[in-house]
Amino acid sequence: MSPARRRALVALGAALVLVVGVVVGAGLRARESTSDAVSQSRPGAVLLVPGYGGSTSSLQTLADALTASGRRTVVVQLPGDGTGDLRAQAAAVKAAADGAIVAGAPSVDVVGYSAGGVVARIWAADLGGAAQARRIVTLGSPHHGTELAGLGSALAPGACPLACRQLVPGSDVLTGLPETPSGPVWTSLWTTQDQTVVPPDSARLEGALDIEVQSICPDASVQHGQLPRDPLVIGLVEQALDVAPMTQAPAPSRCAALRARGGAGST
């Protein structure tokens, strides 16, 4: 090979490396980076994201409590029956967040119940949500999947729709999703008595304030379906959405006060 041809091939190779680097870098920035974080001192609207199946009634007690505390609260309507693609559900969160900000909200706080917490993470990571959210709180969310979905997918695939399959531990959706995209303050609340998210500590999130409700109130008897209605959990959600961020888990001495706070607006 002549020296001139060798130099041309080297130059072409360097150009290809540069192009690939730019494309990959742009993809990573689109998924993981955010614009300047929103103000933590100016709460906006609260968006509640239902869990698997899309039931909005399960979030009504929490919605009523947040509204009574003075927050504008919207329960997001998921497409279809709430068992379809989690990424399509994230698009519904984006539409609700865009609508709130167009209406004048400086930002949004998002509370995702069960699979709704995974949906909130997809919205934050892939649809610009991390640049719109002030706080994101998840309640009993299968961030690393649930063994029940794995069993359903293996034993009764016809009864395990797409969202169910996406919640199988190790699914492509879960494996490729950043834990806590930068920008919002993240909190994960969960119960050791969860028999839907198995194991219950699948709700742990790296980079989030992680709170097991029994660490606050050892006598707390809270199943998965009770999380959005339980006074202790509601009190913790309200504290997580206060003007000042909750930077550490409340001490057990705060158990009664948090229950009283959560019960005040939900009666």
Side-chain angles (χ1 to χ4, degrees):
M1 181 183 298
S2 69
R5 182 174 177 79
R6 186 179 296 109
R7 286 194 298 272
L9 288 175
V10 169
L12 177 60
L16 287 173
V17 169
L18 178 61
V19 169
V20 169
V22 169
V23 170
V24 170
L28 289 175
R29 285 193 297 273
R31 168 158 245 202
E32 301 214 359
S33 70
T34 67
S35 60
D36 293 340
V38 302
S39 171
Q40 290 294 317
S41 62
R42 298 180 61 212
V46 182
L47 307 181
L48 304 184
V49 186
Y52 181 84
S55 170
T56 58
S57 61
S58 64
L59 294 173
Q60 195 57 53
T61 300
L62 177 58
D64 290 345
L66 291 170
T67 300
S69 73
R71 299 297 299 273
R72 178 175 177 267
T73 305
V74 176
V75 180
V76 177
Q77 297 284 337
L78 300 181
D81 61 359
T83 64
D85 193 341
L86 297 178
R87 291 163 294 200
Q89 296 181 28
V93 178
K94 172 178 169 55
D98 289 348
I101 289 174
V102 166
S107 62
V108 293
D109 291 342
V110 176
V111 182
Y113 167 53
S114 193
V118 178
V119 171
R121 286 173 59 212
I122 296 171
W123 165 72
D126 293 342
L127 300 178
Q132 297 176 312
R134 187 184 72 110
R135 310 278 166 81
I136 298 179
V137 180
T138 67
L139 308 179
S141 294
H143 293 303
H144 306 101
T146 171
E147 292 175 4
L148 289 188
L151 285 173
S153 177
L155 300 179
C160 186
L162 180 55
C164 169
R165 300 193 298 275
Q166 290 173 330
L167 295 173
V168 172
S171 74
D172 289 345
V173 167
L174 297 179
T175 301
L177 190 59
E179 292 272 304
T180 50
S182 61
V185 175
W186 294 78
T187 304
S188 175
L189 307 177
W190 56 283
T191 172
T192 59
Q193 297 161 356
D194 201 319
Q195 296 180 343
T196 300
V197 175
V198 181
D201 64 1
S202 177
R204 292 184 183 274
L205 266 181
E206 183 179 350
L209 177 60
D210 179 79
I211 301 177
E212 170 198 312
V213 297
Q214 284 80 15
S215 70
I216 311 298
C217 297
D219 65 342
S221 179
V222 184
Q223 300 291 327
H224 183 81
Q226 296 170 314
L227 280 164
R229 300 192 298 270
D230 182 78
L232 170 61
V233 176
I234 293 173
L236 285 166
V237 170
E238 290 182 344
Q239 183 163 332
L241 301 185
D242 276 345
V243 173
M246 184 166 60
T247 57
Q248 60 184 10
S253 60
R254 293 277 300 152
C255 172
L258 286 164
R259 278 177 167 157
R261 178 177 184 175
S266 58
T267 55

